[in-house]
Amino acid sequence: MKTIFFTGKGGVGKSTLSATCAWQLAEKGYKTLLLSIDPAHNVADIFDTSVGHKKSKFSTNLYLQEANLDKAASVYIEQNIDILTEVYSYTKAFNFDTYFKVLRYSPGVEEYASLTILEQTLRNETDYDFIVFDTPPTGLTLRILALPNISITWVDRLRRIRKQILEKRHTIHNITGKYSEEGFRLAYDEKDDAVMQKLNEIWQRYVNVYKALKGEDNSIAVVFNPDYLSLRESQRILEGLDDLYLPLRAAFNNKYEDRLQDTADEVERELLGANGKKVHIARVPLVPAERRNTYKNDFDVTEAFR
Amino acid sequence: MNPLDPLKRTFQFLKSFSSTMDTAHRNRAVGLTECEVRELENMFVLLLMGSFTGVPAPPSFISAELLPYLEHEIKVVNRRSESASDALSELSGCFDIT
Protein backbone atom coordinates (compact mmCIF):
# COMPACT_ATOMS: atom_id res chain seq x y z
CA MET A 1 0.00 0.00 0.00
CA LYS A 2 1.35 3.41 -0.98
CA THR A 3 0.20 6.73 0.39
CA ILE A 4 0.33 10.18 -1.18
CA PHE A 5 -0.28 13.47 0.64
CA PHE A 6 -1.05 16.59 -1.36
CA THR A 7 -0.16 19.72 0.60
CA GLY A 8 -0.11 23.41 -0.24
CA LYS A 9 -1.59 26.81 0.33
CA GLY A 10 -5.36 27.16 0.25
CA GLY A 11 -6.65 27.58 -3.31
CA VAL A 12 -3.60 26.33 -5.24
CA GLY A 13 -5.54 23.32 -6.48
CA LYS A 14 -4.43 20.49 -4.21
CA SER A 15 -7.94 19.04 -3.92
CA THR A 16 -8.41 18.91 -7.70
CA LEU A 17 -4.91 17.56 -8.27
CA SER A 18 -5.34 14.88 -5.61
CA ALA A 19 -8.67 13.97 -7.23
CA THR A 20 -7.03 13.81 -10.67
CA CYS A 21 -4.20 11.70 -9.25
CA ALA A 22 -6.61 9.25 -7.56
CA TRP A 23 -8.75 8.99 -10.72
CA GLN A 24 -5.74 8.39 -12.99
CA LEU A 25 -4.31 5.75 -10.64
CA ALA A 26 -7.67 3.99 -10.58
CA GLU A 27 -7.88 4.15 -14.38
CA LYS A 28 -4.47 2.49 -14.56
CA GLY A 29 -5.88 -0.44 -12.61
CA TYR A 30 -4.74 0.42 -9.09
CA LYS A 31 -7.29 0.09 -6.31
CA THR A 32 -7.30 3.62 -4.94
CA LEU A 33 -8.91 5.45 -2.03
CA LEU A 34 -9.16 9.23 -2.06
CA LEU A 35 -9.56 10.38 1.53
CA SER A 36 -10.12 14.00 2.45
CA ILE A 37 -8.95 15.03 5.92
CA ASP A 38 -9.65 18.69 5.19
CA PRO A 39 -12.44 19.83 7.56
CA ALA A 40 -13.82 21.82 4.59
CA HIS A 41 -14.32 18.84 2.29
CA ASN A 42 -14.81 19.28 -1.44
CA VAL A 43 -14.27 15.80 -2.87
CA ALA A 44 -18.01 15.49 -3.45
CA ASP A 45 -18.08 18.74 -5.47
CA ILE A 46 -15.08 17.74 -7.58
CA PHE A 47 -16.62 14.38 -8.50
CA ASP A 48 -20.10 15.86 -8.63
CA THR A 49 -21.51 13.07 -6.52
CA SER A 50 -22.51 12.56 -2.92
CA VAL A 51 -19.66 11.31 -0.77
CA GLY A 52 -20.36 10.17 2.75
CA HIS A 53 -18.21 9.78 5.79
CA LYS A 54 -17.95 6.12 4.88
CA LYS A 55 -16.11 4.91 1.78
CA SER A 56 -18.20 5.07 -1.38
CA LYS A 57 -17.37 3.42 -4.66
CA PHE A 58 -17.07 5.88 -7.56
CA SER A 59 -15.72 3.57 -10.27
CA THR A 60 -14.33 0.03 -10.47
CA ASN A 61 -11.11 0.94 -8.71
CA LEU A 62 -11.82 4.31 -7.15
CA TYR A 63 -13.27 4.83 -3.68
CA LEU A 64 -14.00 8.21 -2.16
CA GLN A 65 -14.31 9.25 1.49
CA GLU A 66 -14.63 12.50 3.37
CA ALA A 67 -13.36 11.84 6.89
CA ASN A 68 -15.79 12.62 9.66
CA LEU A 69 -13.57 14.69 11.95
CA ASP A 70 -16.44 15.57 14.30
CA LYS A 71 -17.18 11.90 14.84
CA ALA A 72 -13.53 10.99 15.42
CA ALA A 73 -13.30 13.83 17.95
CA SER A 74 -16.44 12.78 19.78
CA VAL A 75 -15.42 9.08 19.84
CA TYR A 76 -12.16 10.09 21.49
CA ILE A 77 -13.91 12.38 23.96
CA GLU A 78 -16.55 9.74 24.78
CA GLN A 79 -13.82 7.15 25.45
CA ASN A 80 -12.12 9.47 27.93
CA ILE A 81 -15.39 10.46 29.54
CA ASP A 82 -16.18 6.75 29.97
CA ILE A 83 -12.80 6.07 31.63
CA LEU A 84 -13.17 9.13 33.88
CA THR A 85 -16.72 8.20 34.84
CA GLU A 86 -15.63 4.65 35.56
CA VAL A 87 -12.69 5.71 37.74
CA TYR A 88 -14.68 8.37 39.56
CA SER A 89 -17.85 6.28 39.56
CA TYR A 90 -19.09 7.83 42.83
CA THR A 91 -19.77 11.07 40.92
CA LYS A 92 -22.71 9.25 39.32
CA ALA A 93 -24.46 9.32 42.70
CA PHE A 94 -24.69 13.09 42.41
CA ASN A 95 -25.16 13.14 38.65
CA PHE A 96 -21.87 15.05 38.45
CA ASP A 97 -20.50 12.75 35.79
CA THR A 98 -22.23 14.85 33.13
CA TYR A 99 -19.78 17.66 33.89
CA PHE A 100 -16.97 15.63 32.32
CA LYS A 101 -18.67 16.28 28.98
CA VAL A 102 -17.04 19.71 28.92
CA LEU A 103 -13.91 17.89 27.63
CA ARG A 104 -15.61 18.06 24.25
CA TYR A 105 -14.39 21.64 23.91
CA SER A 106 -10.70 20.95 24.60
CA PRO A 107 -8.32 22.69 22.21
CA GLY A 108 -6.35 20.52 19.81
CA VAL A 109 -9.13 17.99 19.44
CA GLU A 110 -9.43 18.60 15.69
CA GLU A 111 -5.77 17.82 15.06
CA TYR A 112 -6.11 14.77 17.25
CA ALA A 113 -9.17 13.65 15.28
CA SER A 114 -7.27 14.01 11.97
CA LEU A 115 -4.36 12.06 13.41
CA THR A 116 -6.69 9.31 14.64
CA ILE A 117 -8.23 9.00 11.19
CA LEU A 118 -4.78 8.91 9.63
CA GLU A 119 -3.64 6.23 12.06
CA GLN A 120 -6.75 4.09 11.60
CA THR A 121 -6.59 4.40 7.81
CA LEU A 122 -2.93 3.37 7.69
CA ARG A 123 -3.68 0.43 9.99
CA ASN A 124 -6.91 -0.84 8.46
CA GLU A 125 -7.02 0.03 4.75
CA THR A 126 -4.15 -2.16 3.67
CA ASP A 127 -5.96 -3.72 0.73
CA TYR A 128 -5.68 -0.54 -1.36
CA ASP A 129 -2.78 -0.07 -3.77
CA PHE A 130 -2.86 3.68 -3.21
CA ILE A 131 -4.40 5.99 -0.62
CA VAL A 132 -4.40 9.62 -1.72
CA PHE A 133 -4.91 12.19 1.06
CA ASP A 134 -6.38 15.59 0.39
CA THR A 135 -5.16 17.70 3.30
CA PRO A 136 -6.21 20.98 4.91
CA PRO A 137 -4.16 24.14 4.16
CA THR A 138 -0.52 24.37 5.25
CA GLY A 139 -0.73 25.30 8.95
CA LEU A 140 -3.10 22.56 10.01
CA THR A 141 -1.45 19.92 7.79
CA LEU A 142 1.98 20.64 9.25
CA ARG A 143 0.55 20.44 12.75
CA ILE A 144 -1.10 17.09 11.97
CA LEU A 145 2.09 15.73 10.40
CA ALA A 146 4.14 17.01 13.36
CA LEU A 147 1.85 15.49 15.96
CA PRO A 148 3.22 11.90 15.90
CA ASN A 149 6.77 13.19 16.24
CA ILE A 150 5.93 15.64 19.04
CA SER A 151 3.93 12.98 20.86
CA ILE A 152 6.77 10.45 20.60
CA THR A 153 9.25 12.96 22.06
CA TRP A 154 6.93 13.75 24.97
CA VAL A 155 6.02 10.14 25.64
CA ASP A 156 9.72 9.17 25.55
CA ARG A 157 10.54 11.73 28.24
CA LEU A 158 7.55 10.73 30.34
CA ARG A 159 8.43 7.05 30.02
CA ARG A 160 11.96 7.74 31.22
CA ILE A 161 10.69 9.51 34.36
CA ARG A 162 8.08 6.81 34.96
CA LYS A 163 10.75 4.13 34.68
CA GLN A 164 12.81 5.88 37.35
CA ILE A 165 9.75 6.13 39.61
CA LEU A 166 9.08 2.41 39.21
CA GLU A 167 12.71 1.47 39.82
CA LYS A 168 12.78 3.46 43.03
CA ARG A 169 9.44 2.03 44.14
CA HIS A 170 10.89 -1.42 43.48
CA THR A 171 13.87 -0.65 45.70
CA ILE A 172 11.54 0.52 48.49
CA HIS A 173 9.44 -2.60 48.08
CA ASN A 174 12.51 -4.85 48.21
CA ILE A 175 13.79 -3.29 51.42
CA THR A 176 10.59 -2.68 53.34
CA GLY A 177 8.06 -4.97 51.68
CA LYS A 178 5.83 -1.91 51.34
CA TYR A 179 3.69 -1.74 48.25
CA SER A 180 0.88 0.62 49.14
CA GLU A 181 0.48 4.14 50.42
CA GLU A 182 -2.68 5.55 51.95
CA GLY A 183 -4.66 2.68 50.56
CA PHE A 184 -3.22 3.02 47.04
CA ARG A 185 -1.57 -0.02 45.67
CA LEU A 186 1.61 1.36 44.15
CA ALA A 187 2.85 -0.60 41.17
CA TYR A 188 6.60 -1.10 40.94
CA ASP A 189 6.69 -3.36 37.91
CA GLU A 190 6.35 -1.96 34.37
CA LYS A 191 3.90 -4.70 33.44
CA ASP A 192 1.77 -3.85 36.44
CA ASP A 193 1.71 -0.08 36.10
CA ALA A 194 -1.35 1.28 34.27
CA VAL A 195 0.40 4.57 33.52
CA MET A 196 3.41 2.86 31.94
CA GLN A 197 1.13 0.54 29.97
CA LYS A 198 -0.80 3.50 28.62
CA LEU A 199 2.40 5.39 27.78
CA ASN A 200 3.72 2.35 25.89
CA GLU A 201 0.44 2.03 24.02
CA ILE A 202 0.47 5.71 22.98
CA TRP A 203 4.16 5.44 22.01
CA GLN A 204 3.56 2.40 19.79
CA ARG A 205 0.59 4.06 18.12
CA TYR A 206 2.56 7.14 17.09
CA VAL A 207 5.71 5.29 16.16
CA ASN A 208 3.65 3.29 13.66
CA VAL A 209 2.23 6.47 12.12
CA TYR A 210 5.61 8.20 12.05
CA LYS A 211 7.27 5.17 10.42
CA ALA A 212 4.53 5.08 7.79
CA LEU A 213 4.95 8.81 7.08
CA LYS A 214 8.73 8.52 6.79
CA GLY A 215 8.74 5.24 4.90
CA GLU A 216 9.50 4.56 1.25
CA ASP A 217 5.84 3.93 0.51
CA ASN A 218 4.77 7.42 1.47
CA SER A 219 5.03 10.43 -0.81
CA ILE A 220 4.41 14.02 0.12
CA ALA A 221 3.73 16.39 -2.73
CA VAL A 222 3.57 20.15 -2.58
CA VAL A 223 1.26 22.00 -4.92
CA PHE A 224 1.97 25.64 -5.72
CA ASN A 225 1.16 28.22 -8.36
CA PRO A 226 3.55 30.33 -10.36
CA ASP A 227 3.22 33.30 -7.99
CA TYR A 228 5.21 34.58 -5.06
CA LEU A 229 2.50 34.24 -2.41
CA SER A 230 2.18 30.49 -2.90
CA LEU A 231 5.98 30.29 -3.22
CA ARG A 232 6.47 31.74 0.28
CA GLU A 233 3.93 29.38 1.81
CA SER A 234 5.37 26.39 -0.03
CA GLN A 235 8.79 27.31 1.35
CA ARG A 236 7.30 27.12 4.83
CA ILE A 237 5.92 23.65 4.04
CA LEU A 238 9.36 22.51 2.89
CA GLU A 239 10.96 23.91 6.05
CA GLY A 240 8.30 22.19 8.15
CA LEU A 241 8.87 18.86 6.38
CA ASP A 242 12.63 19.24 6.85
CA ASP A 243 12.15 19.82 10.56
CA LEU A 244 10.08 16.64 10.76
CA TYR A 245 12.51 14.64 8.58
CA LEU A 246 9.65 13.89 6.20
CA PRO A 247 10.66 13.56 2.56
CA LEU A 248 9.16 15.67 -0.22
CA ARG A 249 8.78 13.52 -3.33
CA ALA A 250 7.02 15.77 -5.84
CA ALA A 251 6.32 19.41 -6.55
CA PHE A 252 3.49 20.48 -8.84
CA ASN A 253 3.60 23.93 -10.36
CA ASN A 254 -0.15 24.06 -10.93
CA LYS A 255 -2.19 26.40 -13.16
CA TYR A 256 0.84 27.01 -15.35
CA GLU A 257 0.55 29.22 -18.45
CA ASP A 258 3.25 29.98 -21.00
CA ARG A 259 2.98 33.70 -20.33
CA LEU A 260 4.07 33.00 -16.72
CA GLN A 261 7.19 31.10 -17.74
CA ASP A 262 9.72 33.54 -16.22
CA THR A 263 7.90 33.64 -12.86
CA ALA A 264 7.44 29.85 -12.90
CA ASP A 265 11.18 29.34 -13.53
CA GLU A 266 12.08 31.64 -10.69
CA VAL A 267 9.54 30.17 -8.26
CA GLU A 268 10.77 26.63 -8.95
CA ARG A 269 14.39 27.69 -8.60
CA GLU A 270 13.76 29.48 -5.30
CA LEU A 271 11.55 26.76 -3.92
CA LEU A 272 13.57 23.70 -4.68
CA GLY A 273 17.09 25.12 -4.99
CA ALA A 274 19.63 22.50 -4.02
CA ASN A 275 16.95 19.84 -3.50
CA GLY A 276 15.70 20.21 -7.05
CA LYS A 277 17.38 17.05 -8.29
CA LYS A 278 15.77 14.75 -5.74
CA VAL A 279 12.25 16.02 -6.23
CA HIS A 280 10.06 15.31 -9.21
CA ILE A 281 8.94 18.67 -10.60
CA ALA A 282 5.95 18.96 -12.91
CA ARG A 283 4.22 21.91 -14.52
CA VAL A 284 0.51 21.31 -14.70
CA PRO A 285 -1.05 23.57 -17.35
CA LEU A 286 -4.11 25.60 -16.48
CA VAL A 287 -7.11 23.54 -17.61
CA PRO A 288 -9.80 25.07 -19.83
CA ALA A 289 -12.51 26.91 -17.88
CA GLU A 290 -15.19 24.25 -18.49
CA ARG A 291 -13.08 21.52 -16.86
CA ARG A 292 -11.82 23.48 -13.90
CA ASN A 293 -12.72 22.18 -10.41
CA THR A 294 -13.24 18.66 -11.74
CA TYR A 295 -11.01 15.60 -11.64
CA LYS A 296 -10.59 15.61 -15.41
CA ASN A 297 -7.13 16.68 -16.50
CA ASP A 298 -5.07 15.45 -19.47
CA PHE A 299 -1.86 15.96 -17.54
CA ASP A 300 -0.50 12.70 -16.07
CA VAL A 301 -0.14 13.44 -12.35
CA THR A 302 0.72 9.83 -11.48
CA GLU A 303 4.07 10.06 -13.29
CA ALA A 304 5.60 11.54 -10.12
CA PHE A 305 4.67 8.53 -7.99
CA ARG A 306 5.85 5.64 -10.09
CA MET B 1 4.13 -19.98 87.43
CA ASN B 2 6.04 -21.88 84.87
CA PRO B 3 9.77 -21.38 85.45
CA LEU B 4 10.23 -21.01 81.70
CA ASP B 5 7.86 -18.01 81.46
CA PRO B 6 10.42 -15.25 82.20
CA LEU B 7 12.73 -16.78 79.64
CA LYS B 8 9.93 -16.92 77.08
CA ARG B 9 8.98 -13.30 77.79
CA THR B 10 12.57 -12.17 77.47
CA PHE B 11 12.89 -14.03 74.22
CA GLN B 12 9.69 -12.46 72.89
CA PHE B 13 10.88 -9.02 73.94
CA LEU B 14 14.18 -9.53 72.18
CA LYS B 15 12.36 -10.80 69.12
CA SER B 16 10.05 -7.79 68.92
CA PHE B 17 12.96 -5.43 69.71
CA SER B 18 14.95 -6.90 66.88
CA SER B 19 11.95 -6.71 64.52
CA THR B 20 11.35 -3.04 65.44
CA MET B 21 15.02 -2.26 64.97
CA ASP B 22 14.95 -4.04 61.63
CA THR B 23 11.91 -2.06 60.46
CA ALA B 24 13.45 1.17 61.74
CA HIS B 25 16.67 0.52 59.87
CA ARG B 26 14.86 -0.49 56.74
CA ASN B 27 12.68 2.64 56.84
CA ARG B 28 15.72 4.78 57.48
CA ALA B 29 17.47 3.17 54.53
CA VAL B 30 14.65 4.00 52.12
CA GLY B 31 13.84 7.45 53.54
CA LEU B 32 15.84 9.28 50.92
CA THR B 33 14.59 7.04 48.11
CA GLU B 34 11.01 7.77 49.19
CA CYS B 35 11.77 11.49 48.99
CA GLU B 36 13.18 10.97 45.50
CA VAL B 37 10.09 9.02 44.38
CA ARG B 38 7.82 11.79 45.68
CA GLU B 39 9.85 14.40 43.79
CA LEU B 40 9.78 12.33 40.61
CA GLU B 41 6.02 11.74 40.90
CA ASN B 42 5.57 15.46 41.46
CA MET B 43 7.69 16.27 38.40
CA PHE B 44 5.88 13.70 36.27
CA VAL B 45 2.50 15.28 36.90
CA LEU B 46 3.81 18.84 36.61
CA LEU B 47 5.26 18.00 33.19
CA LEU B 48 2.16 16.16 32.10
CA MET B 49 -0.20 18.90 33.18
CA GLY B 50 2.02 21.85 32.50
CA SER B 51 -0.93 23.91 31.38
CA PHE B 52 -2.03 24.08 35.05
CA THR B 53 1.26 25.60 36.09
CA GLY B 54 1.91 27.70 33.01
CA VAL B 55 4.76 25.68 31.49
CA PRO B 56 4.66 24.12 28.00
CA ALA B 57 2.59 20.95 28.13
CA PRO B 58 2.47 17.83 25.97
CA PRO B 59 -0.39 17.52 23.47
CA SER B 60 -3.53 17.66 25.61
CA PHE B 61 -4.75 14.23 24.49
CA ILE B 62 -1.70 12.53 26.06
CA SER B 63 -2.53 14.21 29.40
CA ALA B 64 -6.20 13.34 29.00
CA GLU B 65 -5.45 9.67 28.28
CA LEU B 66 -3.26 9.33 31.39
CA LEU B 67 -5.32 11.48 33.75
CA PRO B 68 -7.62 8.70 35.06
CA TYR B 69 -4.64 6.68 36.33
CA LEU B 70 -2.91 9.44 38.24
CA GLU B 71 -4.96 9.87 41.41
CA HIS B 72 -2.04 9.02 43.71
CA GLU B 73 0.43 11.27 41.87
CA ILE B 74 -1.99 14.21 41.91
CA LYS B 75 -2.31 13.85 45.69
CA VAL B 76 1.48 13.94 45.94
CA VAL B 77 1.55 17.14 43.86
CA ASN B 78 -1.06 18.71 46.12
CA ARG B 79 0.89 17.88 49.27
CA ARG B 80 4.13 19.00 47.67
CA SER B 81 2.63 22.35 46.70
CA GLU B 82 1.53 22.89 50.32
CA SER B 83 5.12 22.58 51.52
CA ALA B 84 6.61 24.39 48.52
CA SER B 85 7.10 27.62 50.50
CA ASP B 86 9.24 25.78 53.03
CA ALA B 87 11.58 23.89 50.76
CA LEU B 88 14.47 24.04 53.22
CA SER B 89 12.67 22.11 55.95
CA GLU B 90 11.42 19.60 53.37
CA LEU B 91 14.99 19.05 52.27
CA SER B 92 16.21 18.84 55.87
CA GLY B 93 13.53 16.23 56.52
CA CYS B 94 14.71 14.19 53.56
CA PHE B 95 18.33 14.23 54.72
CA ASP B 96 17.32 13.59 58.34
CA ILE B 97 18.78 16.87 59.58
CA THR B 98 17.13 17.99 62.80
Side-chain angles (χ1 to χ4, degrees):
Chain A
M1 181 189 73
K2 293 190 173 185
T3 49
I4 304 170
F5 286 83
F6 279 87
T7 62
K9 184 179 172 294
V12 290
K14 54 184 182 310
S15 293
T16 38
L17 266 193
S18 58
T20 306
C21 179
W23 166 254
Q24 290 175 350
L25 285 168
E27 286 298 288
K28 286 183 167 87
Y30 297 108
K31 192 177 175 192
T32 307
L33 170 67
L34 173 63
L35 174 62
S36 162
I37 51 169
D38 185 349
H41 299 293
N42 38 31
V43 171
D45 303 331
I46 293 170
F47 285 89
D48 195 20
T49 178
S50 66
V51 176
H53 294 314
K54 286 185 178 162
K55 285 183 295 268
S56 58
K57 193 171 180 171
F58 181 74
S59 66
T60 320
N61 283 321
L62 182 60
Y63 294 77
L64 308 174
Q65 188 182 0
E66 292 180 337
N68 190 347
L69 294 171
D70 282 344
K71 195 182 166 206
S74 53
V75 165
Y76 154 71
I77 296 290
E78 291 303 329
Q79 272 170 359
N80 279 295
I81 290 172
D82 283 352
I83 298 172
L84 275 174
T85 319
E86 199 180 303
V87 174
Y88 303 101
S89 51
Y90 55 87
T91 55
K92 276 184 192 160
F94 305 102
N95 272 337
F96 287 168
D97 54 318
T98 52
Y99 291 118
F100 290 136
K101 295 205 165 114
V102 76
L103 281 178
R104 204 179 303 282
Y105 308 107
S106 314
V109 165
E110 197 168 62
E111 282 103 316
Y112 177 81
S114 311
L115 183 63
T116 307
I117 287 169
L118 191 64
E119 191 253 329
Q120 284 171 351
T121 309
L122 293 173
R123 182 157 36 93
N124 300 331
E125 309 294 357
T126 45
D127 58 330
Y128 287 94
D129 298 317
F130 280 93
I131 300 179
V132 180
F133 290 92
D134 177 22
T135 65
T138 318
L140 190 55
T141 303
L142 282 180
R143 280 211 299 278
I144 296 166
L145 292 176
L147 221 42
N149 203 5
I150 295 171
S151 307
I152 292 168
T153 311
W154 268 102
V155 173
D156 263 340
R157 294 284 155 88
L158 292 171
R159 282 206 309 179
R160 229 176 291 166
I161 302 175
R162 195 72 196 169
K163 206 170 172 183
Q164 268 185 295
I165 293 176
L166 295 178
E167 277 169 6
K168 289 192 189 299
R169 278 187 189 169
H170 202 169
T171 310
I172 296 171
H173 170 75
N174 277 348
I175 297 173
T176 63
K178 193 167 132 186
Y179 63 91
S180 67
E181 204 173 285
E182 294 173 351
F184 279 103
R185 194 186 169 280
L186 299 180
Y188 53 82
D189 189 19
E190 282 191 27
K191 290 186 191 110
D192 226 14
D193 184 42
V195 176
M196 195 61 158
Q197 293 295 315
K198 200 78 201 166
L199 281 171
N200 287 342
E201 187 193 310
I202 300 172
W203 186 82
Q204 194 57 54
R205 208 189 304 155
Y206 296 127
V207 163
N208 290 346
V209 178
Y210 187 58
K211 272 188 188 161
L213 289 177
K214 261 190 88 170
E216 277 295 305
D217 287 338
N218 182 39
S219 303
I220 298 175
V222 62
V223 183
F224 57 98
N225 296 146
D227 66 59
Y228 291 101
L229 215 63
S230 83
L231 164 71
R232 299 285 170 250
E233 191 151 326
S234 306
Q235 281 173 326
R236 279 196 286 278
I237 298 180
L238 263 56
E239 283 166 17
L241 292 178
D242 256 1
D243 288 345
L244 298 168
Y245 305 106
L246 296 176
L248 178 76
R249 294 273 153 80
F252 292 99
N253 198 342
N254 195 25
K255 302 181 189 173
Y256 172 76
E257 292 173 274
D258 285 338
R259 64 186 178 88
L260 298 170
Q261 189 178 350
D262 290 345
T263 324
D265 286 344
E266 209 178 322
V267 167
E268 280 172 22
R269 210 171 29 245
E270 265 205 59
L271 182 62
L272 300 164
N275 288 325
K277 281 177 196 152
K278 290 183 229 158
V279 178
H280 180 102
I281 308 171
R283 285 184 183 175
V284 187
L286 186 69
V287 290
E290 70 278 6
R291 286 165 68 187
R292 263 173 228 165
N293 304 324
T294 72
Y295 59 93
K296 290 169 191 146
N297 193 329
D298 296 332
F299 185 86
D300 186 4
V301 180
T302 63
E303 179 97 15
F305 307 109
R306 282 203 199 135
Chain B
M1 184 185 166
N2 187 335
L4 285 175
D5 271 359
L7 202 63
K8 205 172 165 185
R9 278 216 300 277
T10 313
F11 179 70
Q12 262 168 358
F13 168 75
L14 284 174
K15 200 175 156 191
S16 81
F17 178 75
S18 134
S19 153
T20 313
M21 285 298 282
D22 180 60
T23 312
H25 276 110
R26 281 172 193 270
N27 283 339
R28 205 183 150 88
V30 295
L32 195 59
T33 316
E34 282 185 320
C35 282
E36 281 181 72
V37 173
R38 273 200 302 277
E39 275 315 311
L40 281 170
E41 285 170 341
N42 182 35
M43 222 162 70
F44 185 80
V45 173
L46 286 183
L47 276 178
L48 195 62
M49 290 162 195
S51 41
F52 289 165
T53 46
V55 295
S60 57
F61 49 84
I62 295 183
S63 313
E65 277 193 57
L66 289 172
L67 186 65
Y69 308 103
L70 290 170
E71 197 171 346
H72 164 71
E73 282 80 356
I74 291 171
K75 279 193 170 177
V76 171
V77 175
N78 267 332
R79 271 205 305 270
R80 193 66 195 81
S81 64
E82 279 167 21
S83 60
S85 56
D86 201 4
L88 201 60
S89 65
E90 177 82 13
L91 209 61
S92 310
C94 277
F95 289 107
D96 227 358
I97 303 168
T98 46

